[in-house]
Amino acid sequence: MTVVFGGLCLISKDIVLLTRLVDSAQCREVTDNYPQYFTFDVENWFSCDDNYAVISEDNIGFAEYKKPGVYWVHFCFNSARGREAINLTRDMLLKLVKERPVSVVVGLIEVNNRKARWLIRKVGLRSLGEITTENGLCEMFYSSSEEISNGYV
């Protein structure tokens, strides 16, 4: 069970601090380690007020505004792995739906990134199948804000 108090999340016995990330330089400290996945212009991304990011230590969750109610999510876990990454993803999604007008979250993961696809399935997002993008073949995942808020994710 996860309990959220502002930016402080309690996951079973662990306390995880999730804070809103607004500093593009701090973001680059993490995302620059993964140039194959984070090719966007970070400064430009942060200039859009509707985009939303949270950070816990060196792990970042991004929510990119697409249209009213729709956010595309991306996660960059520099140190979190396994169960910790699953719980952190759930907490990041919960914080997003509590602080933004979200109806649905969507994630695109390259099919060759098996670890990320495994993680997002364990979190509880459902697959919509594979689609071809400018980055190649990807699998699309989604969840509603109600599912996230009610603990189904």
mmCIF file of all heavy atoms in Angstrom, residues 74-111:
data_model
loop_
_atom_site.group_PDB
_atom_site.id
_atom_site.type_symbol
_atom_site.label_atom_id
_atom_site.label_comp_id
_atom_site.label_asym_id
_atom_site.label_seq_id
_atom_site.Cartn_x
_atom_site.Cartn_y
_atom_site.Cartn_z
ATOM 1 N N HIS A 74 7.484 8.681 -19.414
ATOM 2 C CA HIS A 74 8.820 8.138 -19.654
ATOM 3 C C HIS A 74 9.500 8.044 -18.285
ATOM 4 O O HIS A 74 9.297 8.914 -17.440
ATOM 5 C CB HIS A 74 9.649 9.060 -20.549
ATOM 6 C CG HIS A 74 8.910 9.616 -21.715
ATOM 7 N ND1 HIS A 74 8.795 8.946 -22.911
ATOM 8 C CD2 HIS A 74 8.227 10.783 -21.867
ATOM 9 C CE1 HIS A 74 8.088 9.686 -23.751
ATOM 10 N NE2 HIS A 74 7.724 10.789 -23.144
ATOM 11 N N PHE A 75 10.303 7.021 -18.086
ATOM 12 C CA PHE A 75 10.985 6.853 -16.810
ATOM 13 C C PHE A 75 12.468 6.624 -17.052
ATOM 14 O O PHE A 75 12.845 5.938 -17.995
ATOM 15 C CB PHE A 75 10.394 5.671 -16.021
ATOM 16 C CG PHE A 75 8.937 5.864 -15.733
ATOM 17 C CD1 PHE A 75 7.974 5.326 -16.566
ATOM 18 C CD2 PHE A 75 8.529 6.624 -14.648
ATOM 19 C CE1 PHE A 75 6.624 5.526 -16.329
ATOM 20 C CE2 PHE A 75 7.172 6.828 -14.404
ATOM 21 C CZ PHE A 75 6.225 6.273 -15.244
ATOM 22 N N CYS A 76 13.265 7.216 -16.194
ATOM 23 C CA CYS A 76 14.716 7.042 -16.270
ATOM 24 C C CYS A 76 15.197 6.645 -14.882
ATOM 25 O O CYS A 76 15.295 7.477 -13.981
ATOM 26 C CB CYS A 76 15.379 8.345 -16.719
ATOM 27 S SG CYS A 76 17.167 8.203 -16.877
ATOM 28 N N PHE A 77 15.455 5.358 -14.718
ATOM 29 C CA PHE A 77 15.908 4.854 -13.424
ATOM 30 C C PHE A 77 17.409 4.620 -13.479
ATOM 31 O O PHE A 77 17.872 3.650 -14.073
ATOM 32 C CB PHE A 77 15.164 3.573 -13.046
ATOM 33 C CG PHE A 77 13.708 3.806 -12.811
ATOM 34 C CD1 PHE A 77 12.757 3.136 -13.533
ATOM 35 C CD2 PHE A 77 13.292 4.726 -11.863
ATOM 36 C CE1 PHE A 77 11.406 3.359 -13.332
ATOM 37 C CE2 PHE A 77 11.940 4.970 -11.655
ATOM 38 C CZ PHE A 77 10.999 4.277 -12.383
ATOM 39 N N ASN A 78 18.125 5.533 -12.874
ATOM 40 C CA ASN A 78 19.580 5.443 -12.857
ATOM 41 C C ASN A 78 20.041 4.424 -11.816
ATOM 42 O O ASN A 78 20.957 3.662 -12.062
ATOM 43 C CB ASN A 78 20.191 6.816 -12.586
ATOM 44 C CG ASN A 78 21.595 6.937 -13.124
ATOM 45 O OD1 ASN A 78 21.916 6.412 -14.174
ATOM 46 N ND2 ASN A 78 22.427 7.629 -12.390
ATOM 47 N N SER A 79 19.375 4.401 -10.657
ATOM 48 C CA SER A 79 19.800 3.474 -9.598
ATOM 49 C C SER A 79 18.719 2.481 -9.176
ATOM 50 O O SER A 79 19.045 1.396 -8.710
ATOM 51 C CB SER A 79 20.287 4.256 -8.373
ATOM 52 O OG SER A 79 19.245 5.060 -7.863
ATOM 53 N N ALA A 80 17.455 2.830 -9.309
ATOM 54 C CA ALA A 80 16.375 1.933 -8.875
ATOM 55 C C ALA A 80 16.277 0.729 -9.806
ATOM 56 O O ALA A 80 16.336 0.861 -11.023
ATOM 57 C CB ALA A 80 15.040 2.675 -8.850
ATOM 58 N N ARG A 81 16.111 -0.447 -9.224
ATOM 59 C CA ARG A 81 15.981 -1.689 -9.980
ATOM 60 C C ARG A 81 14.929 -2.570 -9.319
ATOM 61 O O ARG A 81 14.619 -2.421 -8.144
ATOM 62 C CB ARG A 81 17.319 -2.466 -10.006
ATOM 63 C CG ARG A 81 18.473 -1.745 -10.661
ATOM 64 C CD ARG A 81 18.277 -1.665 -12.178
ATOM 65 N NE ARG A 81 19.389 -1.052 -12.849
ATOM 66 C CZ ARG A 81 19.500 0.242 -13.128
ATOM 67 N NH1 ARG A 81 18.554 1.071 -12.759
ATOM 68 N NH2 ARG A 81 20.541 0.719 -13.765
ATOM 69 N N GLY A 82 14.372 -3.486 -10.088
ATOM 70 C CA GLY A 82 13.464 -4.501 -9.550
ATOM 71 C C GLY A 82 12.274 -3.925 -8.815
ATOM 72 O O GLY A 82 11.602 -3.013 -9.289
ATOM 73 N N ARG A 83 11.988 -4.472 -7.635
ATOM 74 C CA ARG A 83 10.834 -4.071 -6.831
ATOM 75 C C ARG A 83 10.872 -2.577 -6.516
ATOM 76 O O ARG A 83 9.846 -1.895 -6.530
ATOM 77 C CB ARG A 83 10.784 -4.909 -5.544
ATOM 78 C CG ARG A 83 9.698 -4.534 -4.562
ATOM 79 C CD ARG A 83 8.274 -4.657 -5.059
ATOM 80 N NE ARG A 83 7.969 -5.952 -5.629
ATOM 81 C CZ ARG A 83 6.891 -6.183 -6.375
ATOM 82 N NH1 ARG A 83 6.029 -5.224 -6.628
ATOM 83 N NH2 ARG A 83 6.675 -7.371 -6.869
ATOM 84 N N GLU A 84 12.050 -2.041 -6.242
ATOM 85 C CA GLU A 84 12.171 -0.601 -5.960
ATOM 86 C C GLU A 84 11.701 0.224 -7.167
ATOM 87 O O GLU A 84 10.973 1.204 -7.019
ATOM 88 C CB GLU A 84 13.611 -0.248 -5.610
ATOM 89 C CG GLU A 84 13.823 1.230 -5.334
ATOM 90 C CD GLU A 84 15.280 1.602 -5.130
ATOM 91 O OE1 GLU A 84 16.181 0.761 -5.335
ATOM 92 O OE2 GLU A 84 15.514 2.769 -4.775
ATOM 93 N N ALA A 85 12.094 -0.164 -8.366
ATOM 94 C CA ALA A 85 11.689 0.558 -9.581
ATOM 95 C C ALA A 85 10.184 0.429 -9.820
ATOM 96 O O ALA A 85 9.536 1.398 -10.231
ATOM 97 C CB ALA A 85 12.473 0.047 -10.788
ATOM 98 N N ILE A 86 9.630 -0.742 -9.557
ATOM 99 C CA ILE A 86 8.180 -0.941 -9.713
ATOM 100 C C ILE A 86 7.417 -0.018 -8.770
ATOM 101 O O ILE A 86 6.498 0.702 -9.186
ATOM 102 C CB ILE A 86 7.801 -2.416 -9.471
ATOM 103 C CG1 ILE A 86 8.382 -3.303 -10.571
ATOM 104 C CG2 ILE A 86 6.285 -2.578 -9.358
ATOM 105 C CD1 ILE A 86 8.315 -4.790 -10.264
ATOM 106 N N ASN A 87 7.792 -0.012 -7.497
ATOM 107 C CA ASN A 87 7.114 0.840 -6.515
ATOM 108 C C ASN A 87 7.300 2.315 -6.834
ATOM 109 O O ASN A 87 6.364 3.113 -6.696
ATOM 110 C CB ASN A 87 7.608 0.533 -5.104
ATOM 111 C CG ASN A 87 7.109 -0.802 -4.604
ATOM 112 O OD1 ASN A 87 6.101 -1.322 -5.059
ATOM 113 N ND2 ASN A 87 7.839 -1.381 -3.662
ATOM 114 N N LEU A 88 8.495 2.686 -7.258
ATOM 115 C CA LEU A 88 8.769 4.079 -7.592
ATOM 116 C C LEU A 88 7.950 4.529 -8.798
ATOM 117 O O LEU A 88 7.400 5.632 -8.811
ATOM 118 C CB LEU A 88 10.269 4.266 -7.851
ATOM 119 C CG LEU A 88 10.774 5.689 -7.974
ATOM 120 C CD1 LEU A 88 10.364 6.541 -6.778
ATOM 121 C CD2 LEU A 88 12.302 5.671 -8.111
ATOM 122 N N THR A 89 7.812 3.677 -9.792
ATOM 123 C CA THR A 89 6.983 4.002 -10.956
ATOM 124 C C THR A 89 5.542 4.223 -10.533
ATOM 125 O O THR A 89 4.891 5.194 -10.946
ATOM 126 C CB THR A 89 7.059 2.879 -12.008
ATOM 127 O OG1 THR A 89 8.414 2.684 -12.386
ATOM 128 C CG2 THR A 89 6.218 3.210 -13.221
ATOM 129 N N ARG A 90 5.012 3.353 -9.697
ATOM 130 C CA ARG A 90 3.636 3.501 -9.210
ATOM 131 C C ARG A 90 3.465 4.813 -8.450
ATOM 132 O O ARG A 90 2.471 5.522 -8.626
ATOM 133 C CB ARG A 90 3.260 2.322 -8.333
ATOM 134 C CG ARG A 90 3.035 1.054 -9.111
ATOM 135 C CD ARG A 90 2.686 -0.114 -8.221
ATOM 136 N NE ARG A 90 2.393 -1.288 -9.027
ATOM 137 C CZ ARG A 90 2.688 -2.514 -8.671
ATOM 138 N NH1 ARG A 90 3.262 -2.753 -7.499
ATOM 139 N NH2 ARG A 90 2.398 -3.527 -9.462
ATOM 140 N N ASP A 91 4.425 5.141 -7.594
ATOM 141 C CA ASP A 91 4.342 6.381 -6.825
ATOM 142 C C ASP A 91 4.438 7.608 -7.723
ATOM 143 O O ASP A 91 3.756 8.606 -7.505
ATOM 144 C CB ASP A 91 5.431 6.417 -5.751
ATOM 145 C CG ASP A 91 5.126 5.484 -4.595
ATOM 146 O OD1 ASP A 91 3.965 5.061 -4.455
ATOM 147 O OD2 ASP A 91 6.052 5.181 -3.828
ATOM 148 N N MET A 92 5.289 7.536 -8.735
ATOM 149 C CA MET A 92 5.409 8.655 -9.673
ATOM 150 C C MET A 92 4.104 8.850 -10.440
ATOM 151 O O MET A 92 3.652 9.982 -10.640
ATOM 152 C CB MET A 92 6.576 8.432 -10.630
ATOM 153 C CG MET A 92 7.927 8.589 -9.971
ATOM 154 S SD MET A 92 9.274 8.192 -11.121
ATOM 155 C CE MET A 92 10.691 8.796 -10.194
ATOM 156 N N LEU A 93 3.488 7.767 -10.869
ATOM 157 C CA LEU A 93 2.204 7.856 -11.573
ATOM 158 C C LEU A 93 1.114 8.400 -10.655
ATOM 159 O O LEU A 93 0.296 9.236 -11.068
ATOM 160 C CB LEU A 93 1.802 6.492 -12.132
ATOM 161 C CG LEU A 93 2.620 5.988 -13.308
ATOM 162 C CD1 LEU A 93 2.300 4.522 -13.599
ATOM 163 C CD2 LEU A 93 2.411 6.852 -14.547
ATOM 164 N N LEU A 94 1.094 7.966 -9.411
ATOM 165 C CA LEU A 94 0.095 8.442 -8.461
ATOM 166 C C LEU A 94 0.261 9.939 -8.204
ATOM 167 O O LEU A 94 -0.726 10.684 -8.182
ATOM 168 C CB LEU A 94 0.197 7.660 -7.150
ATOM 169 C CG LEU A 94 -0.856 7.949 -6.097
ATOM 170 C CD1 LEU A 94 -2.260 7.684 -6.636
ATOM 171 C CD2 LEU A 94 -0.594 7.116 -4.853
ATOM 172 N N LYS A 95 1.482 10.385 -8.055
ATOM 173 C CA LYS A 95 1.741 11.814 -7.861
ATOM 174 C C LYS A 95 1.285 12.603 -9.087
ATOM 175 O O LYS A 95 0.686 13.668 -8.950
ATOM 176 C CB LYS A 95 3.223 12.050 -7.573
ATOM 177 C CG LYS A 95 3.561 13.487 -7.211
ATOM 178 C CD LYS A 95 4.963 13.583 -6.679
ATOM 179 C CE LYS A 95 5.399 15.001 -6.376
ATOM 180 N NZ LYS A 95 4.620 15.642 -5.327
ATOM 181 N N LEU A 96 1.532 12.078 -10.265
ATOM 182 C CA LEU A 96 1.114 12.739 -11.494
ATOM 183 C C LEU A 96 -0.404 12.935 -11.533
ATOM 184 O O LEU A 96 -0.896 14.041 -11.787
ATOM 185 C CB LEU A 96 1.568 11.942 -12.719
ATOM 186 C CG LEU A 96 0.979 12.368 -14.065
ATOM 187 C CD1 LEU A 96 1.468 13.749 -14.464
ATOM 188 C CD2 LEU A 96 1.324 11.326 -15.136
ATOM 189 N N VAL A 97 -1.171 11.873 -11.277
ATOM 190 C CA VAL A 97 -2.632 11.981 -11.393
ATOM 191 C C VAL A 97 -3.240 12.819 -10.269
ATOM 192 O O VAL A 97 -4.337 13.346 -10.428
ATOM 193 C CB VAL A 97 -3.338 10.603 -11.506
ATOM 194 C CG1 VAL A 97 -2.826 9.848 -12.717
ATOM 195 C CG2 VAL A 97 -3.203 9.794 -10.245
ATOM 196 N N LYS A 98 -2.531 12.968 -9.165
ATOM 197 C CA LYS A 98 -3.022 13.821 -8.084
ATOM 198 C C LYS A 98 -2.744 15.301 -8.359
ATOM 199 O O LYS A 98 -3.445 16.162 -7.860
ATOM 200 C CB LYS A 98 -2.405 13.409 -6.757
ATOM 201 C CG LYS A 98 -2.957 12.095 -6.240
ATOM 202 C CD LYS A 98 -2.473 11.829 -4.833
ATOM 203 C CE LYS A 98 -3.041 10.556 -4.290
ATOM 204 N NZ LYS A 98 -4.496 10.533 -4.188
ATOM 205 N N GLU A 99 -1.705 15.588 -9.154
ATOM 206 C CA GLU A 99 -1.289 16.979 -9.358
ATOM 207 C C GLU A 99 -1.597 17.540 -10.740
ATOM 208 O O GLU A 99 -1.445 18.740 -10.955
ATOM 209 C CB GLU A 99 0.203 17.114 -9.058
ATOM 210 C CG GLU A 99 0.519 16.829 -7.611
ATOM 211 C CD GLU A 99 1.961 17.095 -7.230
ATOM 212 O OE1 GLU A 99 2.723 17.625 -8.055
ATOM 213 O OE2 GLU A 99 2.317 16.773 -6.086
ATOM 214 N N ARG A 100 -2.011 16.696 -11.668
ATOM 215 C CA ARG A 100 -2.304 17.141 -13.034
ATOM 216 C C ARG A 100 -3.674 16.617 -13.464
ATOM 217 O O ARG A 100 -4.119 15.576 -12.989
ATOM 218 C CB ARG A 100 -1.248 16.631 -14.017
ATOM 219 C CG ARG A 100 0.102 17.260 -13.842
ATOM 220 C CD ARG A 100 0.033 18.691 -14.266
ATOM 221 N NE ARG A 100 1.348 19.284 -14.186
ATOM 222 C CZ ARG A 100 1.545 20.580 -14.161
ATOM 223 N NH1 ARG A 100 0.537 21.395 -14.233
ATOM 224 N NH2 ARG A 100 2.755 21.068 -14.079
ATOM 225 N N PRO A 101 -4.324 17.286 -14.412
ATOM 226 C CA PRO A 101 -5.627 16.829 -14.906
ATOM 227 C C PRO A 101 -5.473 15.693 -15.918
ATOM 228 O O PRO A 101 -5.607 15.866 -17.120
ATOM 229 C CB PRO A 101 -6.205 18.089 -15.567
ATOM 230 C CG PRO A 101 -5.005 18.840 -16.033
ATOM 231 C CD PRO A 101 -3.934 18.567 -15.002
ATOM 232 N N VAL A 102 -5.158 14.515 -15.415
ATOM 233 C CA VAL A 102 -4.857 13.357 -16.254
ATOM 234 C C VAL A 102 -6.087 12.478 -16.408
ATOM 235 O O VAL A 102 -6.754 12.166 -15.422
ATOM 236 C CB VAL A 102 -3.709 12.520 -15.631
ATOM 237 C CG1 VAL A 102 -3.443 11.270 -16.437
ATOM 238 C CG2 VAL A 102 -2.454 13.353 -15.487
ATOM 239 N N SER A 103 -6.369 12.071 -17.640
ATOM 240 C CA SER A 103 -7.381 11.050 -17.897
ATOM 241 C C SER A 103 -6.717 9.721 -18.205
ATOM 242 O O SER A 103 -7.153 8.677 -17.733
ATOM 243 C CB SER A 103 -8.259 11.445 -19.087
ATOM 244 O OG SER A 103 -8.972 12.609 -18.800
ATOM 245 N N VAL A 104 -5.647 9.778 -19.001
ATOM 246 C CA VAL A 104 -4.943 8.558 -19.403
ATOM 247 C C VAL A 104 -3.453 8.847 -19.549
ATOM 248 O O VAL A 104 -3.058 9.945 -19.940
ATOM 249 C CB VAL A 104 -5.537 7.996 -20.719
ATOM 250 C CG1 VAL A 104 -5.299 8.911 -21.899
ATOM 251 C CG2 VAL A 104 -5.026 6.608 -21.013
ATOM 252 N N VAL A 105 -2.645 7.849 -19.185
ATOM 253 C CA VAL A 105 -1.206 7.909 -19.432
ATOM 254 C C VAL A 105 -0.869 6.853 -20.478
ATOM 255 O O VAL A 105 -1.470 5.778 -20.514
ATOM 256 C CB VAL A 105 -0.350 7.693 -18.164
ATOM 257 C CG1 VAL A 105 -0.579 8.803 -17.148
ATOM 258 C CG2 VAL A 105 -0.594 6.335 -17.541
ATOM 259 N N VAL A 106 0.074 7.195 -21.345
ATOM 260 C CA VAL A 106 0.490 6.318 -22.431
ATOM 261 C C VAL A 106 2.010 6.214 -22.393
ATOM 262 O O VAL A 106 2.696 7.201 -22.134
ATOM 263 C CB VAL A 106 0.040 6.894 -23.798
ATOM 264 C CG1 VAL A 106 0.533 6.021 -24.940
ATOM 265 C CG2 VAL A 106 -1.464 7.053 -23.840
ATOM 266 N N GLY A 107 2.522 5.031 -22.634
ATOM 267 C CA GLY A 107 3.960 4.833 -22.725
ATOM 268 C C GLY A 107 4.315 4.075 -23.992
ATOM 269 O O GLY A 107 3.611 3.143 -24.380
ATOM 270 N N LEU A 108 5.371 4.508 -24.657
ATOM 271 C CA LEU A 108 5.907 3.803 -25.830
ATOM 272 C C LEU A 108 7.283 3.274 -25.471
ATOM 273 O O LEU A 108 8.143 4.036 -25.038
ATOM 274 C CB LEU A 108 6.055 4.758 -27.021
ATOM 275 C CG LEU A 108 4.821 5.097 -27.812
ATOM 276 C CD1 LEU A 108 5.157 6.141 -28.860
ATOM 277 C CD2 LEU A 108 4.260 3.858 -28.479
ATOM 278 N N ILE A 109 7.485 1.982 -25.659
ATOM 279 C CA ILE A 109 8.777 1.369 -25.335
ATOM 280 C C ILE A 109 9.249 0.572 -26.540
ATOM 281 O O ILE A 109 8.494 -0.234 -27.099
ATOM 282 C CB ILE A 109 8.663 0.439 -24.105
ATOM 283 C CG1 ILE A 109 8.126 1.210 -22.900
ATOM 284 C CG2 ILE A 109 10.022 -0.196 -23.795
ATOM 285 C CD1 ILE A 109 7.854 0.351 -21.691
ATOM 286 N N GLU A 110 10.486 0.824 -26.929
ATOM 287 C CA GLU A 110 11.055 0.074 -28.052
ATOM 288 C C GLU A 110 11.009 -1.418 -27.734
ATOM 289 O O GLU A 110 11.313 -1.832 -26.611
ATOM 290 C CB GLU A 110 12.482 0.526 -28.328
ATOM 291 C CG GLU A 110 12.558 1.963 -28.824
ATOM 292 C CD GLU A 110 13.982 2.459 -28.995
ATOM 293 O OE1 GLU A 110 14.945 1.723 -28.696
ATOM 294 O OE2 GLU A 110 14.128 3.610 -29.435
ATOM 295 N N VAL A 111 10.632 -2.231 -28.719
ATOM 296 C CA VAL A 111 10.441 -3.658 -28.458
ATOM 297 C C VAL A 111 11.735 -4.350 -28.032
ATOM 298 O O VAL A 111 11.684 -5.371 -27.347
ATOM 299 C CB VAL A 111 9.806 -4.390 -29.658
ATOM 300 C CG1 VAL A 111 8.393 -3.902 -29.894
ATOM 301 C CG2 VAL A 111 10.644 -4.283 -30.903
#
